[in-house]
């Protein structure tokens, strides 16, 4: 499963039909694919691997995700139906993960690639999202996330258990402008860590103002 940064579920109604009709439809297929996956039927009973995760996600968004007439809604605990078009961007992102778990797009031994999960997410929710991803990884789900956020990256160091397998990767260009990569077991061990350097630069500016 690939989850893009761009919210596609808001634009779901009729989009897949248009893409099927017009060969040169101006959307990347990976963006359309997430609509197809999210639009599948859902289980009546949560799968075992998400027993501890779905309640967390439901608490964050205040309900569950439903689909009616090709449109996505968050059905709040009081029964109110909030269309994705007017819902907060972060809630939609969390709701999408809920949906993918409930329709078994993400199962044991799956591969999940998530582009900037922290984008538009309330910072208070970041530890919860990290916990959910770590829990999924314990079911042999290989997860690859990209981020530019210090809090999101660092929480994997803070919340991981000894038996968790977590690696941090940095992409950078060398002096010959060639793309290189670096991998470490701890976030702070990365030598080419633009996130950390930006954070330290901010701390230095704050300190110099005193």
């Amino acid at each position: 499963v690939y989850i893009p940064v761009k919210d596609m579920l808001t634009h779901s109604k009729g989009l897949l039909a248009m893409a099927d009709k017009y060969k040169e439809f101006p959307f990347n297929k990976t963006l359309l694919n997430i609509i197809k996956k999210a639009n599948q039927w859902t289980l009546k009973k949560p799968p075992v691997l998400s027993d501890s995760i779905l309640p967390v996600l439901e608490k964050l968004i205040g309900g569950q995700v439903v689909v009616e007439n090709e449109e996505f809604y968050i059905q709040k605990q009081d029964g109110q139906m909030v269309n994705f078009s007017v819902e907060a961007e972060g809630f939609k992102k969390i709701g999408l993960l809920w949906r993918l778990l409930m329709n078994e797009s993400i199962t044991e031994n799956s591969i999940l690639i998530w582009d900037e999960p922290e984008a538009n997410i309330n910072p208070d929710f970041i530890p919860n999202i990290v916990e959910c991803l770590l829990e999924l990884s314990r079911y042999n789900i290989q997860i690859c996330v990209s981020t530019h956020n210090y809090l999101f990256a660092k929480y994997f160091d803070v919340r991981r258990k000894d038996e968790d397998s977590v690696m941090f990767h940095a992409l950078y260009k060398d002096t010959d402008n060639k793309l290189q990569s670096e991998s470490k077991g701890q976030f702070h061990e990365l030598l080419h860590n633009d996130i950390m350097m930006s954070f330290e630069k901010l701390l230095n500016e704050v300190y110099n103002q005193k």
Side-chain angles (χ1 to χ4, degrees):
V1 176
Y2 168 68
I3 302 179
V5 176
K6 184 178 179 63
D7 163 44
M8 293 302 298
L9 302 192
T10 299
H11 316 286
S12 60
K13 189 170 184 179
L15 195 61
L16 296 179
M18 291 284 287
D20 290 338
K21 184 176 181 179
Y22 300 103
K23 294 182 179 179
E24 297 183 0
F25 197 65
F27 273 99
N28 187 296
K29 289 184 179 180
T30 58
L31 298 180
L32 298 174
N33 191 52
I34 195 62
I35 299 177
K36 293 179 181 178
K37 288 187 176 296
N39 203 26
Q40 295 179 135
W41 47 267
T42 58
L43 300 172
K44 292 183 178 180
K45 185 178 180 180
V48 174
L49 66 86
S50 59
D51 274 346
S52 63
I53 299 174
L54 292 176
V56 174
L57 302 180
E58 290 170 10
K59 184 178 181 180
L60 295 180
I61 64 177
Q64 300 180 349
V65 180
V66 298
V67 182
E68 291 186 359
N69 193 26
E70 295 185 70
E71 291 189 282
F72 290 83
Y73 298 82
I74 294 181
Q75 185 174 18
K76 301 295 183 177
Q77 294 172 349
D78 61 2
Q80 180 186 9
M81 299 281 282
V82 180
N83 192 291
F84 264 43
S85 62
V86 295
E87 188 55 276
E89 292 293 321
F91 280 14
K92 290 189 281 189
K93 182 165 287 190
I94 296 170
L96 171 57
L97 179 60
W98 184 93
R99 188 79 187 173
L100 295 174
L101 290 169
M102 275 299 291
N103 67 21
E104 290 193 303
S105 290
I106 300 174
T107 59
E108 193 169 351
N109 301 313
S110 294
I111 298 175
L112 171 61
I113 303 172
W114 197 349
D115 195 358
E116 297 186 32
E118 81 287 351
N120 301 312
I121 293 286
N122 185 325
D124 286 342
F125 295 171
I126 288 179
N128 303 105
I129 301 301
V130 170
E131 287 275 13
C132 290
L133 292 175
L134 286 171
E135 180 62 21
L136 287 175
S137 73
R138 293 165 192 145
Y139 284 89
N140 203 33
I141 297 174
Q142 185 175 355
I143 299 171
C144 180
V145 298
S146 64
T147 184
H148 298 94
N149 186 284
Y150 173 81
L151 286 177
F152 182 73
K154 191 60 181 176
Y155 261 114
F156 281 97
D157 263 346
V158 173
R159 296 296 178 92
R160 69 195 293 180
K161 296 179 180 179
D162 291 339
E163 62 270 21
D164 288 332
S165 177
V166 179
M167 290 291 292
F168 296 89
H169 310 276
L171 299 177
Y172 64 97
K173 289 186 177 180
D174 61 19
T175 54
D176 295 324
N177 204 35
K178 293 182 179 179
L179 187 64
Q180 304 290 344
S181 65
E182 176 190 9
S183 300
K184 298 292 183 181
Q186 300 286 334
F187 181 64
H188 69 272
E189 293 176 343
L190 290 171
L191 300 179
H192 301 84
N193 193 332
D194 288 344
I195 297 175
M196 181 68 80
M197 286 188 288
S198 297
F199 187 71
E200 291 175 348
K201 182 180 179 181
L202 172 60
L203 292 179
N204 289 334
E205 290 189 24
V206 172
Y207 178 79
N208 291 332
Q209 288 179 347
K210 294 181 178 180

